[in-house]
Each structure stands twice: as structure tokens, then as C-alpha cells.
């Protein structure tokens, strides 16, 4: 019993001494100049007391308008911010977070902003994410040069960001606000792409054709964005191209629409997005018309045929067989098609292996095609499934 009483008295004495030291630190903080304040914050944090650092943040907020460009002021800010951790602010997390957000918005010091973002990288909050989003957006709007605080903001948004973070980063890349910084921005919004798939879809269908091309190229080139997202975006865009009426067409550049259509087919094929097989097959008539009026080259048409076949559906073989029949008849009448084009059709039908194409492929073996085409037709016949 005596030992328990002695321990209780000892603990009480320790707590009293700690409280007195804590109160002494607070007094010393308010009495001293900024250099003294820095020393007091360091001393109090070594003792595990964060209350002086909280008071330092309050002091920094109150005096920012006067001392913002003072080197000691910024040093006090960095030391105070860096002293916080998840253990020494238990119970006052919201208070500290709110004060740091206030300081972030008013300070012009890159060092202080970076220190605050480092804190929120460990202890993120919705308020902090919005704060960094707004900071980045303002820098983007003003086309400010990239500095360390912008780099830190991009990294923070890429790891802790939300849909608004993704949107801002993506737009900055599309608009090429900082071309030299584009790889880093792309990497960071790539981290957020999967959870913001709908954001990408909504954006790509709402912009003009030239911007659709930019977006598709951006997501295709980003290794962190899944083929599923690329394929789904390309499918949705291809449908808008196919379904455009004459009024809308007149507001779009014809060249952009053709480029976009071919890019969609290529993207769908690369992503193996078979869900778009119906749309791809439906697009053949448009691509064929563009080829026949020489809006696209032999090479572009050949590639489009291969891309359509790469995601073939049940109707694809019918469409391509019908076109091969047209090519065969053209050859019979002395209007031989480009070798690359007829080869792409025959090879595609052979890879599809659907025996409904037999009559048309077989007919090609007895026509005045180049030997390479005839041999391709013979090879395609062996691949048909019966």
C-alpha cells in the first residue's frame, strides 16, 4: 500500500512538473522574438508537447500580412509544421488541419506550402485535397511556371486526389499548359484514372472532334490507364461519329472526323474491345465511302479493315465478304483494286475462319489478281472452319 501511495505521489509530481514546464514554454514562446519562438517550438516538441507548435501556427496566421517574406518567419512555419505527427496531435487533428489549410492559402512561400502538403500526405483530409486542387487550378489558369510547390501539388493530387483532382490534371495535360511537365502530370492522373472512368467518358464525348483526338491519344499513350478504359472511350466516340447528323457534321472539320474515326478503330483493335464489334462493323460503310472519294489512303483503308476484323462480330464476315465480292467484280470488269486493300480483306476473312466467306475467297483464286493475292486466297480457304 505504501508503494502505491509513493508511486501516486511520484506520478503527481511528474505531471505537475510537466505542466509547469509546458506553461513555461508557452510563456517563453509569447515573450520571445521569432528566433526565440523557433527554439521554444523545438524544445517543446522534444518533450512531446504540440501545443506550442499549434500556437506558432496561430501566430503565423495572425502576422502573415506583415512578416510573410521574412526568412525567420518561414523557418518557424516549417519547423512547426514538420513537428506535427499522428501521435502528438491526437484529439486536435481537425483543429490543426484547419489552421494549416488557412496558412497554406495565405502564404506565398513554396517551402511552407510544401511542408503543409507533406503533412497532409501523411494525414489527408477532404479539405486538404480541395485546397491543393484549387492551388493547382489557379497556377494552371495563370500559366505560372512549374516550381517545387506545383510539383508537390501534382504528386499529392495523384496519390490522395479525388475526381476534381483528376479533372484538373487531365485538363492541364490536354491543354498542354506545361508541355515539359506533361509526363509527370500524366503519371499522376493515370493513378486516378480507374476510379474516374466515368469522368473520362463524360469529358471525351462532350468536346469537339479535335479534342477527342487529343484525349484518345493521351489515354492510349498512358501505361497506367487500362485498355478497358481506352476501348470503352473509343467505342463511345465511334458511336458519336457514326450517328452524327448533317447539322453537326457541318460544325466539325471533315478531316478531324475522319482522323477520329480511324483512331477509334485502331484503339478498339489494340484494346481487343470486342464489345465494340457492332459499332466497328457498322463503321465500315463510312470508311469505305471515304476511301472511294479518296479522303483516306490505301494504307489507311487497309489498316481500318484489319482493325474492324480484329474485333469482329457475327455480321463482320458478311460485310467483308460482300466487299470482297465487289472487289472481285471490279477486277473482272478491268478495274482492279489496290493490292494492299484486297489482301487485307482476304487475310481478314481467313483469320475469321467463317465458311460463309468461302465462295468469295474461292472466286478470287481464279481472277486476274497478282500472285500474292491468289496465294493469300488459297491460304485463307485452308483456315475456314466447317
Amino acid at each position: 500500500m505504501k508503494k502505491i501511495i509513493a508511486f501516486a505521489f511520484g506520478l503527481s509530481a511528474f505531471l505537475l512538473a510537466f505542466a509547469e514546464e509546458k506553461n513555461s514554454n508557452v510563456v517563453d514562446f509569447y515573450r520571445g522574438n521569432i528566433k526565440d519562438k523557433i527554439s521554444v517550438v523545438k524544445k517543446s516538441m522534444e518533450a512531446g508537447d504540440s501545443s506550442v507548435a499549434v500556437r506558432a501556427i496561430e501566430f503565423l496566421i495572425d502576422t502573415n500580412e506583415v512578416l510573410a517574406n521574412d526568412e525567420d518567419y518561414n523557418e518557424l512555419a516549417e519547423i512547426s509544421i514538420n513537428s506535427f505527427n499522428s501521435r502528438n496531435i491526437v484529439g486536435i487533428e481537425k483543429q490543426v488541419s484547419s489552421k494549416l489549410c488557412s496558412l497554406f492559402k495565405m502564404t506565398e512561400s513554396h517551402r511552407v506550402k510544401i511542408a503543409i502538403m507533406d503533412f497532409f500526405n501523411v494525414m489527408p483530409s477532404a479539405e486538404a485535397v480541395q485546397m491543393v486542387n484549387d492551388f493547382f487550378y489557379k497556377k494552371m489558369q495563370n500559366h505560372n511556371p512549374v516550381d517545387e510547390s506545383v510539383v508537390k501539388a501534382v504528386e499529392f493530387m495523384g496519390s490522395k486526389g479525388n475526381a476534381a483532382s483528376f479533372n484538373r490534371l487531365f485538363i492541364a495535360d490536354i491543354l498542354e499548359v506545361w508541355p515539359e511537365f506533361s509526363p509527370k502530370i500524366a503519371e499522376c492522373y493515370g493513378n486516378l484514372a480507374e476510379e474516374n472512368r466515368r469522368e473520362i467518358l463524360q469529358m471525351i464525348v462532350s468536346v469537339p472532334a479535335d479534342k477527342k483526338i487529343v484525349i484518345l491519344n493521351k489515354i492510349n499513350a498512358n501505361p497506367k490507364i487500362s485498355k478497358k478504359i481506352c476501348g470503352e472511350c473509343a467505342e463511345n466516340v465511334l458511336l458519336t461519329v457514326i450517328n452524327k447528323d448533317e447539322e453537326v457534321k457541318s460544325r466539325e472539320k471533315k478531316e478531324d472526323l475522319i482522323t477520329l474515326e480511324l483512331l477509334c478503330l485502331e484503339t478498339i483493335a489494340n484494346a481487343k474491345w470486342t464489345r465494340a464489334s457492332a459499332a466497328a462493323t457498322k463503321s465500315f460503310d463510312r470508311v469505305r465511302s471515304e476511301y472511294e472519294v479518296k479522303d483516306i489512303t490505301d494504307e489507311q483503308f487497309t489498316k481500318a479493315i484489319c482493325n474492324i476484323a480484329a474485333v469482329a462480330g457475327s455480321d463482320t464476315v458478311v460485310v467483308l465478304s460482300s466487299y470482297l465480292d465487289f472487289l472481285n467484280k471490279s477486277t473482272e470488269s478491268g478495274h482492279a483494286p489496290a493490292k494492299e486493300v484486297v489482301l487485307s480483306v482476304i487475310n481478314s476473312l481467313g483469320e475469321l475462319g467463317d465458311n460463309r466467306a468461302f465462295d468469295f475467297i474461292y472466286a478470287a483464286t481464279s481472277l486476274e489478281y497478282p500472285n500474292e493475292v491468289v496465294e493469300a486466297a488459297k491460304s485463307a480457304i485452308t483456315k475456314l472452319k466447317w
Side-chain angles (χ1 to χ4, degrees):
M1 184 66 179
K2 291 181 179 180
K3 290 183 178 180
I4 295 174
I5 294 172
F7 174 76
F9 276 115
L11 180 61
S12 298
F14 171 78
L15 293 174
L16 181 61
F18 179 78
E20 289 175 350
E21 181 182 1
K22 180 177 177 180
N23 290 335
S24 173
N25 286 335
V26 172
V27 172
D28 290 342
F29 176 82
Y30 283 119
R31 290 179 61 183
N33 59 32
I34 292 187
K35 287 189 178 296
D36 294 331
K37 292 182 189 326
I38 292 171
S39 298
V40 175
V41 169
K42 288 180 178 179
K43 179 182 175 183
S44 65
M45 292 312 301
E46 287 172 1
D49 174 22
S50 63
S51 63
V52 177
V54 173
R55 285 176 167 81
I57 300 299
E58 293 170 347
F59 168 80
L60 293 163
I61 291 171
D62 291 340
T63 59
N64 178 78
E65 188 174 346
V66 178
L67 299 175
N69 296 319
D70 184 81
E71 186 63 26
D72 291 335
Y73 171 94
N74 290 328
E75 184 181 354
L76 174 62
E78 282 188 278
I79 289 171
S80 301
I81 296 161
N82 292 335
S83 68
F84 294 127
N85 58 57
S86 58
R87 298 181 303 278
N88 61 31
I89 62 170
V90 174
I92 58 170
E93 295 92 342
K94 289 185 178 180
Q95 178 188 355
V96 171
S97 176
S98 177
K99 292 181 186 303
L100 290 181
C101 285
S102 296
L103 181 61
F104 183 94
K105 292 170 185 176
M106 62 178 60
T107 184
E108 294 298 324
S109 168
H110 297 160
R111 291 164 46 194
V112 175
K113 285 186 181 294
I114 289 169
I116 293 172
M117 285 187 278
D118 282 339
F119 169 85
F120 283 121
N121 201 47
V122 177
M123 300 186 67
S125 69
E127 183 184 9
V129 172
Q130 184 60 52
M131 172 191 78
V132 177
N133 287 347
D134 292 344
F135 167 71
F136 176 82
Y137 190 62
K138 183 177 179 180
K139 291 284 187 179
M140 180 177 71
Q141 281 187 312
N142 295 336
H143 285 257
N144 293 130
V146 174
D147 55 40
E148 291 181 4
S149 63
V150 174
V151 174
K152 180 64 70 173
V154 169
E155 292 173 344
F156 178 84
M157 293 162 74
S159 62
K160 308 298 180 184
N162 53 20
S165 308
F166 173 84
N167 186 279
R168 283 158 173 71
L169 291 170
F170 200 32
I171 289 174
D173 194 25
I174 292 168
L175 298 180
E176 297 186 332
V177 177
W178 298 292
E180 73 286 358
F181 193 40
S182 186
K184 185 64 177 180
I185 292 174
E187 175 190 347
C188 290
Y189 73 66
N191 294 334
L192 305 172
E194 199 61 41
E195 60 194 82
N196 290 288
R197 181 174 58 88
R198 287 295 164 196
E199 186 77 16
I200 304 174
L201 287 170
Q202 289 171 6
M203 186 182 299
I204 200 169
V205 298
S206 64
V207 297
D210 59 335
K211 288 295 185 288
K212 284 181 169 68
I213 294 168
V214 173
I215 293 174
L216 266 182
N217 281 326
K218 290 287 186 183
I219 64 176
N220 282 335
N222 195 318
K224 294 200 169 188
I225 296 181
S226 69
K227 294 296 183 184
K228 176 182 177 181
I229 290 176
C230 295
E232 190 171 10
C233 284
E235 177 190 8
N236 279 267
V237 172
L238 183 60
L239 288 170
T240 67
V241 174
I242 293 171
N243 296 328
K244 277 187 179 294
D245 58 34
E246 292 304 318
E247 181 185 354
V248 176
K249 280 185 187 178
S250 68
R251 296 200 300 266
E252 300 276 16
K253 289 183 179 179
K254 186 176 182 181
E255 297 82 359
D256 286 341
L257 287 172
I258 292 173
T259 300
L260 180 60
E261 183 177 38
L262 296 176
L263 177 59
C264 286
L265 291 173
E266 182 178 7
T267 302
I268 287 166
N270 289 341
K272 296 180 171 56
W273 191 245
T274 55
R275 203 181 79 176
S277 60
T281 301
K282 187 176 180 181
S283 73
F284 178 80
D285 287 341
R286 286 177 54 87
V287 179
R288 175 182 172 179
S289 297
E290 290 154 2
Y291 173 66
E292 289 175 349
V293 297
K294 301 188 183 306
D295 281 338
I296 63 175
T297 64
D298 293 344
E299 182 181 359
Q300 289 174 316
F301 188 41
T302 296
K303 190 172 184 180
I305 291 169
C306 294
N307 288 334
I308 290 169
V311 290
S314 59
D315 293 334
T316 309
V317 67
V318 176
V319 171
L320 293 183
S321 294
S322 176
Y323 187 59
L324 180 56
D325 184 38
F326 167 79
L327 296 177
N328 289 341
K329 289 175 180 175
S330 296
T331 301
E332 287 179 317
S333 63
H335 302 288
K339 183 179 72 172
E340 296 83 358
V341 172
V342 71
L343 273 174
S344 68
V345 178
I346 289 173
N347 289 334
S348 294
L349 288 170
E351 292 301 319
L352 294 179
D354 192 314
N355 60 32
R356 288 177 293 174
F358 172 77
D359 290 341
F360 310 102
I361 299 174
Y362 181 74
T365 64
S366 59
L367 295 174
E368 293 298 320
Y369 281 124
N371 287 337
E372 187 179 351
V373 173
V374 173
E375 291 302 315
K378 291 177 180 178
S379 175
I381 289 172
T382 66
K383 297 177 182 178
L384 301 181
K385 300 177 180 65
W386 298 87

